[in-house]
Amino acid sequence: MANAEKLNPQLNSFLSIEHEHALRQALAVDGRSEMPLAGMAIAVKDNICTEGMRTSCGSHILHNYRAQYNATAIERLNNAGAVMVGKTNMDEFAMGSSNESSAFGLVRNPWDVSRVPGGSSGGSAVAVASGVVRASLGSETGGSVRQPAALCGIVGLKPTYGRISRYGLVAFASSLDNIGIFGTTASDVADVLGVIAGHDPKDSTSADVPVPDYNFSLGADVSGKTIGVPRALFGEGLDADVRHSVEASIENFRSLGAKIVDVELPHAKYGIAVYYIIATAEASSNLARYDGARYGFRADNAPGLREMYFRTREAGFGAEVKRRIMLGTYVLSSGYYDAYYSKAQKVRNLVKQDYERSFANCDAILTPTSPSTAFKIGERSDDPLAMYLSDIYTVSANLAGVPAISVPCGLSENGLPIGLQLVGNFWSEDVLLNLASAYETAFPLGVDPAVYVG
Ligand code: GLN
């Protein structure tokens, strides 16, 4: 708590720090060691509903919105004894890869405060990387947990679509959205996943698939595992430092006894194009509800209802959100629907089939998480395309619905963290956590970013 207060003026990772709530929770679980997360400090992205607390989505349009109920993930964390320290900063409505598009100011990377932490769950990543909490919740539509995890030197998991209930996660692109988890280690992530995963009758897309004991897979031998490497994706646009480190990690896995095989994901190159059609289409529909009548901000003194809608949305949304609503409305409009939206759905299916074919021959697929290390604040903020390419390695797992994890695998020449990504078959979070924990135990980064700040 004190740490959150002390670091926030510099890092801006929290939008609200919930003193009284945290104190009440901490007192209630004192001595209750039978609870699986008793006393574990956690932080929660501000697009996950927490009853009675502000849930702003990093947007002016919800700046004063207080959630009426808890997300299922929050209920489960509460019942397990976790202590929520606060709500974290994010790109507005989870649209972004740098956390610079929050309506409440950017977030700084604790490894180098002149750099971005990644996004859109930048605040949740920094809350863990700066040592304030051991684990946090973020959300993933196209990489918003894995990419900031890589840029901040921590572990980040996007589960299988349907593994964690989305009830209470504010919708961006419903067929791609997931709640994801950050932790200092794979074991922290496993602890939280074990509590929040599993079927929820309140979310019709949550799956009724048994949840294994994730801690069981930690530390287990990986010598029986096969890791697929799509070499064709290690080409253009990948920073030399990142390539070097991720290639070394392949050899490191080999030295742990894993078998390395080649795989091909021929449709992965269409991932960004497909993602930005489907995600914006769904966003344009989901964000129609912010009209000034139902939630949050309403523009004053409008002469009529339509004008009130216009003025509320004009003043309430930031530039990136407006760009996406327009793009999404365009690709869904009659005349363009077949050319863009329905074509994108077909290619999405091909991306999924690439994975299904590959997982016949391997347990996980290894790639970089992000093509670069943390970039400078401002470097890509005027160039949406450069920003969108930050997600080139991550979006296809969301399109396919498969789970994926980012694990720290080294440092660049200038001392910034690099992450490797492991993508798994449906429901194989246990396999990913097994590989991640074996890797981080054998090849730890050896530097704690918390030393740089405060
Ligand atoms: N950076 C991607 C985007 O801007 C992914 C966002 C996310 O996963 N929420 O859409």
Side-chain angles (χ1 to χ4, degrees), residues 127-171:
V128 173
S130 60
V132 173
V133 291
R134 252 174 58 203
S136 60
L137 298 188
S139 72
E140 265 266 0
T141 306
S144 280
V145 168
R146 286 163 288 157
Q147 184 254 15
L151 272 45
C152 291
I154 58 174
V155 180
L157 173 79
K158 177 206 103 68
T160 311
Y161 186 80
R163 181 56 107 181
I164 299 175
S165 169
R166 289 185 295 117
Y167 181 74
L169 168 66
V170 177

CSV table of all heavy atoms in Angstrom, one decimal, residues 127-171:
chain,number,residue,atom,x,y,z
A,127,ALA,N,2.4,-2.4,-11.9
A,127,ALA,CA,2.1,-2.7,-10.5
A,127,ALA,C,2.9,-3.9,-10.1
A,127,ALA,O,3.4,-3.9,-8.9
A,127,ALA,CB,0.6,-2.8,-10.3
A,128,VAL,N,3.0,-4.9,-10.9
A,128,VAL,CA,3.8,-6.1,-10.6
A,128,VAL,C,5.3,-5.8,-10.7
A,128,VAL,O,6.1,-6.1,-9.9
A,128,VAL,CB,3.4,-7.3,-11.5
A,128,VAL,CG1,4.3,-8.5,-11.3
A,128,VAL,CG2,1.9,-7.7,-11.2
A,129,ALA,N,5.7,-5.2,-11.9
A,129,ALA,CA,7.1,-5.0,-12.1
A,129,ALA,C,7.8,-4.1,-11.1
A,129,ALA,O,9.0,-4.3,-10.9
A,129,ALA,CB,7.3,-4.5,-13.6
A,130,SER,N,7.0,-3.2,-10.6
A,130,SER,CA,7.6,-2.2,-9.6
A,130,SER,C,7.5,-2.8,-8.2
A,130,SER,O,7.9,-2.1,-7.2
A,130,SER,CB,6.9,-0.9,-9.7
A,130,SER,OG,5.5,-1.0,-9.4
A,131,GLY,N,7.0,-4.0,-8.0
A,131,GLY,CA,7.1,-4.6,-6.7
A,131,GLY,C,5.9,-4.3,-5.8
A,131,GLY,O,5.9,-4.6,-4.6
A,132,VAL,N,4.9,-3.6,-6.3
A,132,VAL,CA,3.8,-3.2,-5.5
A,132,VAL,C,2.9,-4.4,-5.1
A,132,VAL,O,2.4,-4.5,-4.0
A,132,VAL,CB,3.0,-2.0,-6.1
A,132,VAL,CG1,1.7,-1.7,-5.3
A,132,VAL,CG2,3.8,-0.8,-6.3
A,133,VAL,N,2.6,-5.2,-6.1
A,133,VAL,CA,1.8,-6.4,-5.9
A,133,VAL,C,2.5,-7.6,-6.6
A,133,VAL,O,3.4,-7.4,-7.4
A,133,VAL,CB,0.4,-6.3,-6.5
A,133,VAL,CG1,-0.4,-5.3,-5.8
A,133,VAL,CG2,0.5,-5.9,-8.0
A,134,ARG,N,2.1,-8.8,-6.1
A,134,ARG,CA,2.7,-10.0,-6.7
A,134,ARG,C,2.0,-10.5,-8.0
A,134,ARG,O,2.6,-11.1,-8.9
A,134,ARG,CB,2.7,-11.2,-5.7
A,134,ARG,CG,4.0,-11.5,-5.1
A,134,ARG,CD,3.9,-12.6,-4.1
A,134,ARG,NE,3.3,-13.8,-4.5
A,134,ARG,CZ,2.7,-14.7,-3.8
A,134,ARG,NH1,2.6,-14.4,-2.5
A,134,ARG,NH2,2.1,-15.8,-4.3
A,135,ALA,N,0.8,-10.1,-8.1
A,135,ALA,CA,0.0,-10.5,-9.3
A,135,ALA,C,-1.1,-9.4,-9.6
A,135,ALA,O,-1.5,-8.7,-8.7
A,135,ALA,CB,-0.6,-11.9,-9.1
A,136,SER,N,-1.5,-9.4,-10.8
A,136,SER,CA,-2.6,-8.5,-11.2
A,136,SER,C,-3.4,-9.0,-12.3
A,136,SER,O,-3.0,-9.9,-13.0
A,136,SER,CB,-2.0,-7.1,-11.6
A,136,SER,OG,-1.1,-7.2,-12.7
A,137,LEU,N,-4.6,-8.5,-12.5
A,137,LEU,CA,-5.4,-8.8,-13.6
A,137,LEU,C,-5.3,-7.8,-14.7
A,137,LEU,O,-5.3,-6.6,-14.4
A,137,LEU,CB,-6.9,-8.9,-13.2
A,137,LEU,CG,-7.3,-10.0,-12.2
A,137,LEU,CD1,-8.8,-10.1,-12.0
A,137,LEU,CD2,-6.7,-11.4,-12.5
A,138,GLY,N,-5.2,-8.2,-15.9
A,138,GLY,CA,-5.3,-7.3,-17.1
A,138,GLY,C,-6.4,-7.9,-18.0
A,138,GLY,O,-7.1,-8.8,-17.6
A,139,SER,N,-6.4,-7.3,-19.2
A,139,SER,CA,-7.3,-7.9,-20.2
A,139,SER,C,-6.6,-8.0,-21.5
A,139,SER,O,-5.6,-7.3,-21.8
A,139,SER,CB,-8.6,-7.1,-20.4
A,139,SER,OG,-8.3,-5.9,-21.0
A,140,GLU,N,-7.0,-9.0,-22.3
A,140,GLU,CA,-6.4,-9.3,-23.6
A,140,GLU,C,-7.4,-9.4,-24.7
A,140,GLU,O,-8.3,-10.1,-24.6
A,140,GLU,CB,-5.8,-10.7,-23.4
A,140,GLU,CG,-4.4,-10.8,-23.0
A,140,GLU,CD,-3.4,-10.9,-24.2
A,140,GLU,OE1,-3.9,-11.0,-25.4
A,140,GLU,OE2,-2.2,-11.0,-24.0
A,141,THR,N,-7.2,-8.6,-25.7
A,141,THR,CA,-8.0,-8.7,-26.9
A,141,THR,C,-7.1,-9.1,-28.1
A,141,THR,O,-7.5,-9.8,-29.0
A,141,THR,CB,-8.7,-7.4,-27.2
A,141,THR,OG1,-9.4,-7.0,-26.0
A,141,THR,CG2,-9.7,-7.5,-28.3
A,142,GLY,N,-5.8,-8.6,-28.0
A,142,GLY,CA,-4.8,-8.9,-29.0
A,142,GLY,C,-3.4,-9.0,-28.5
A,142,GLY,O,-2.5,-8.9,-29.3
A,143,GLY,N,-3.2,-9.0,-27.2
A,143,GLY,CA,-1.8,-9.0,-26.7
A,143,GLY,C,-1.6,-8.1,-25.5
A,143,GLY,O,-0.5,-8.0,-25.0
A,144,SER,N,-2.7,-7.5,-25.0
A,144,SER,CA,-2.5,-6.5,-24.0
A,144,SER,C,-2.0,-7.0,-22.6
A,144,SER,O,-1.8,-6.2,-21.7
A,144,SER,CB,-3.9,-5.8,-23.8
A,144,SER,OG,-4.1,-4.9,-24.8
A,145,VAL,N,-1.9,-8.3,-22.4
A,145,VAL,CA,-1.2,-8.8,-21.2
A,145,VAL,C,0.2,-9.2,-21.6
A,145,VAL,O,1.2,-8.8,-20.9
A,145,VAL,CB,-2.0,-9.9,-20.5
A,145,VAL,CG1,-1.2,-10.6,-19.4
A,145,VAL,CG2,-3.3,-9.3,-19.9
A,146,ARG,N,0.3,-10.0,-22.6
A,146,ARG,CA,1.6,-10.6,-23.0
A,146,ARG,C,2.6,-9.5,-23.4
A,146,ARG,O,3.8,-9.5,-23.0
A,146,ARG,CB,1.5,-11.6,-24.1
A,146,ARG,CG,0.8,-12.9,-23.7
A,146,ARG,CD,0.3,-13.7,-24.9
A,146,ARG,NE,-0.9,-13.0,-25.4
A,146,ARG,CZ,-1.3,-13.2,-26.7
A,146,ARG,NH1,-0.6,-14.0,-27.5
A,146,ARG,NH2,-2.4,-12.6,-27.1
A,147,GLN,N,2.2,-8.5,-24.2
A,147,GLN,CA,3.2,-7.5,-24.7
A,147,GLN,C,3.7,-6.6,-23.5
A,147,GLN,O,4.9,-6.5,-23.4
A,147,GLN,CB,2.5,-6.7,-25.8
A,147,GLN,CG,3.5,-5.7,-26.5
A,147,GLN,CD,3.1,-4.2,-26.0
A,147,GLN,OE1,2.4,-4.0,-25.1
A,147,GLN,NE2,3.7,-3.3,-26.7
A,148,PRO,N,2.8,-6.1,-22.6
A,148,PRO,CA,3.4,-5.3,-21.5
A,148,PRO,C,4.2,-6.2,-20.5
A,148,PRO,O,5.2,-5.8,-19.9
A,148,PRO,CB,2.2,-4.7,-20.8
A,148,PRO,CG,1.0,-5.3,-21.4
A,148,PRO,CD,1.4,-5.9,-22.7
A,149,ALA,N,3.8,-7.5,-20.4
A,149,ALA,CA,4.6,-8.4,-19.6
A,149,ALA,C,6.0,-8.5,-20.1
A,149,ALA,O,7.0,-8.4,-19.4
A,149,ALA,CB,4.0,-9.8,-19.5
A,150,ALA,N,6.1,-8.6,-21.5
A,150,ALA,CA,7.5,-8.7,-22.1
A,150,ALA,C,8.3,-7.4,-21.9
A,150,ALA,O,9.4,-7.4,-21.5
A,150,ALA,CB,7.3,-9.0,-23.6
A,151,LEU,N,7.6,-6.3,-22.1
A,151,LEU,CA,8.3,-5.0,-21.9
A,151,LEU,C,8.6,-4.6,-20.5
A,151,LEU,O,9.4,-3.7,-20.3
A,151,LEU,CB,7.4,-3.9,-22.6
A,151,LEU,CG,7.6,-3.6,-24.1
A,151,LEU,CD1,7.7,-4.9,-24.9
A,151,LEU,CD2,6.6,-2.6,-24.6
A,152,CYS,N,8.0,-5.3,-19.6
A,152,CYS,CA,8.3,-5.0,-18.1
A,152,CYS,C,9.0,-6.1,-17.4
A,152,CYS,O,9.2,-6.1,-16.2
A,152,CYS,CB,7.0,-4.7,-17.4
A,152,CYS,SG,6.2,-3.1,-17.9
A,153,GLY,N,9.4,-7.2,-18.1
A,153,GLY,CA,10.2,-8.2,-17.5
A,153,GLY,C,9.5,-9.1,-16.5
A,153,GLY,O,10.0,-9.6,-15.5
A,154,ILE,N,8.2,-9.4,-16.8
A,154,ILE,CA,7.4,-10.2,-15.9
A,154,ILE,C,6.6,-11.3,-16.7
A,154,ILE,O,6.7,-11.3,-17.9
A,154,ILE,CB,6.4,-9.4,-15.0
A,154,ILE,CG1,5.4,-8.6,-15.9
A,154,ILE,CG2,7.2,-8.5,-14.1
A,154,ILE,CD1,4.3,-7.9,-15.1
A,155,VAL,N,5.9,-12.2,-16.0
A,155,VAL,CA,5.1,-13.2,-16.7
A,155,VAL,C,3.7,-12.7,-17.0
A,155,VAL,O,3.1,-12.1,-16.1
A,155,VAL,CB,5.1,-14.5,-15.8
A,155,VAL,CG1,4.3,-15.6,-16.5
A,155,VAL,CG2,6.5,-15.0,-15.5
A,156,GLY,N,3.2,-13.0,-18.2
A,156,GLY,CA,1.8,-12.6,-18.5
A,156,GLY,C,1.1,-13.7,-19.3
A,156,GLY,O,1.6,-14.2,-20.2
A,157,LEU,N,-0.1,-14.1,-18.8
A,157,LEU,CA,-0.8,-15.2,-19.4
A,157,LEU,C,-2.1,-14.7,-20.0
A,157,LEU,O,-2.9,-14.0,-19.3
A,157,LEU,CB,-1.2,-16.3,-18.4
A,157,LEU,CG,-2.1,-17.4,-18.8
A,157,LEU,CD1,-1.3,-18.4,-19.7
A,157,LEU,CD2,-2.8,-18.1,-17.7
A,158,LYS,N,-2.4,-15.1,-21.3
A,158,LYS,CA,-3.7,-15.0,-21.9
A,158,LYS,C,-4.3,-16.4,-21.9
A,158,LYS,O,-3.7,-17.3,-22.5
A,158,LYS,CB,-3.7,-14.5,-23.3
A,158,LYS,CG,-5.0,-14.5,-23.9
A,158,LYS,CD,-5.0,-14.5,-25.5
A,158,LYS,CE,-5.3,-15.9,-26.0
A,158,LYS,NZ,-6.7,-16.3,-25.9
A,159,PRO,N,-5.3,-16.7,-21.2
A,159,PRO,CA,-5.9,-18.1,-21.2
A,159,PRO,C,-6.6,-18.4,-22.5
A,159,PRO,O,-6.9,-17.5,-23.3
A,159,PRO,CB,-6.8,-18.1,-20.0
A,159,PRO,CG,-7.3,-16.6,-19.9
A,159,PRO,CD,-6.2,-15.8,-20.4
A,160,THR,N,-7.0,-19.7,-22.6
A,160,THR,CA,-7.9,-20.1,-23.6
A,160,THR,C,-9.2,-19.3,-23.6
A,160,THR,O,-9.7,-19.0,-22.5
A,160,THR,CB,-8.3,-21.6,-23.5
A,160,THR,OG1,-7.1,-22.3,-23.2
A,160,THR,CG2,-9.1,-22.1,-24.6
A,161,TYR,N,-9.8,-18.9,-24.7
A,161,TYR,CA,-11.0,-18.2,-24.7
A,161,TYR,C,-12.1,-19.0,-24.0
A,161,TYR,O,-12.3,-20.2,-24.4
A,161,TYR,CB,-11.5,-17.9,-26.2
A,161,TYR,CG,-12.7,-17.0,-26.3
A,161,TYR,CD1,-12.6,-15.7,-26.1
A,161,TYR,CD2,-14.0,-17.6,-26.5
A,161,TYR,CE1,-13.7,-14.8,-26.2
A,161,TYR,CE2,-15.1,-16.8,-26.5
A,161,TYR,CZ,-15.0,-15.4,-26.4
A,161,TYR,OH,-16.1,-14.6,-26.4
A,162,GLY,N,-12.7,-18.5,-23.0
A,162,GLY,CA,-13.7,-19.3,-22.3
A,162,GLY,C,-13.2,-19.9,-21.0
A,162,GLY,O,-14.0,-20.4,-20.2
A,163,ARG,N,-11.9,-19.8,-20.7
A,163,ARG,CA,-11.3,-20.4,-19.5
A,163,ARG,C,-11.7,-19.5,-18.3
A,163,ARG,O,-12.0,-20.1,-17.2
A,163,ARG,CB,-9.8,-20.5,-19.7
A,163,ARG,CG,-9.1,-21.1,-18.5
A,163,ARG,CD,-9.5,-22.4,-18.2
A,163,ARG,NE,-8.6,-23.5,-18.6
A,163,ARG,CZ,-8.9,-24.8,-18.3
A,163,ARG,NH1,-10.0,-25.1,-17.8
A,163,ARG,NH2,-8.1,-25.7,-18.7
A,164,ILE,N,-11.6,-18.2,-18.4
A,164,ILE,CA,-12.0,-17.3,-17.3
A,164,ILE,C,-13.2,-16.5,-17.7
A,164,ILE,O,-13.3,-16.0,-18.8
A,164,ILE,CB,-10.8,-16.3,-17.0
A,164,ILE,CG1,-9.6,-17.0,-16.6
A,164,ILE,CG2,-11.3,-15.3,-16.0
A,164,ILE,CD1,-8.4,-16.1,-16.5
A,165,SER,N,-14.2,-16.5,-16.8
A,165,SER,CA,-15.4,-15.7,-17.1
A,165,SER,C,-15.2,-14.3,-17.5
A,165,SER,O,-14.4,-13.6,-16.9
A,165,SER,CB,-16.3,-15.8,-15.9
A,165,SER,OG,-17.4,-14.9,-16.1
A,166,ARG,N,-15.9,-13.8,-18.5
A,166,ARG,CA,-15.8,-12.4,-18.9
A,166,ARG,C,-16.9,-11.6,-18.2
A,166,ARG,O,-17.0,-10.4,-18.5
A,166,ARG,CB,-15.9,-12.2,-20.4
A,166,ARG,CG,-14.7,-12.7,-21.2
A,166,ARG,CD,-14.8,-12.4,-22.7
A,166,ARG,NE,-15.9,-13.2,-23.3
A,166,ARG,CZ,-17.0,-12.6,-23.9
A,166,ARG,NH1,-17.1,-11.3,-23.9
A,166,ARG,NH2,-17.9,-13.3,-24.4
A,167,TYR,N,-17.7,-12.2,-17.4
A,167,TYR,CA,-18.8,-11.4,-16.7
A,167,TYR,C,-18.1,-10.3,-15.9
A,167,TYR,O,-17.3,-10.6,-15.0
A,167,TYR,CB,-19.6,-12.4,-15.8
A,167,TYR,CG,-20.7,-11.7,-15.1
A,167,TYR,CD1,-21.9,-11.3,-15.8
A,167,TYR,CD2,-20.6,-11.4,-13.8
A,167,TYR,CE1,-22.9,-10.7,-15.1
A,167,TYR,CE2,-21.7,-10.8,-13.1
A,167,TYR,CZ,-22.8,-10.4,-13.8
A,167,TYR,OH,-23.8,-9.8,-13.1
A,168,GLY,N,-18.5,-9.1,-16.2
A,168,GLY,CA,-17.9,-8.0,-15.5
A,168,GLY,C,-16.6,-7.4,-16.1
A,168,GLY,O,-16.0,-6.5,-15.6
A,169,LEU,N,-16.2,-8.0,-17.2
A,169,LEU,CA,-15.1,-7.4,-18.0
A,169,LEU,C,-15.8,-6.5,-19.1
A,169,LEU,O,-16.6,-7.0,-19.9
A,169,LEU,CB,-14.2,-8.4,-18.7
A,169,LEU,CG,-13.2,-7.9,-19.8
A,169,LEU,CD1,-12.1,-7.1,-19.1
A,169,LEU,CD2,-12.6,-9.1,-20.5
A,170,VAL,N,-15.5,-5.2,-19.0
A,170,VAL,CA,-16.1,-4.3,-20.0
A,170,VAL,C,-15.7,-4.7,-21.4
A,170,VAL,O,-14.5,-4.9,-21.7
A,170,VAL,CB,-15.8,-2.8,-19.7
A,170,VAL,CG1,-16.4,-1.9,-20.7
A,170,VAL,CG2,-16.2,-2.4,-18.3
A,171,ALA,N,-16.7,-4.9,-22.3
A,171,ALA,CA,-16.5,-5.4,-23.6
A,171,ALA,C,-15.7,-4.4,-24.5
A,171,ALA,O,-16.1,-3.2,-24.6
A,171,ALA,CB,-17.8,-5.8,-24.2
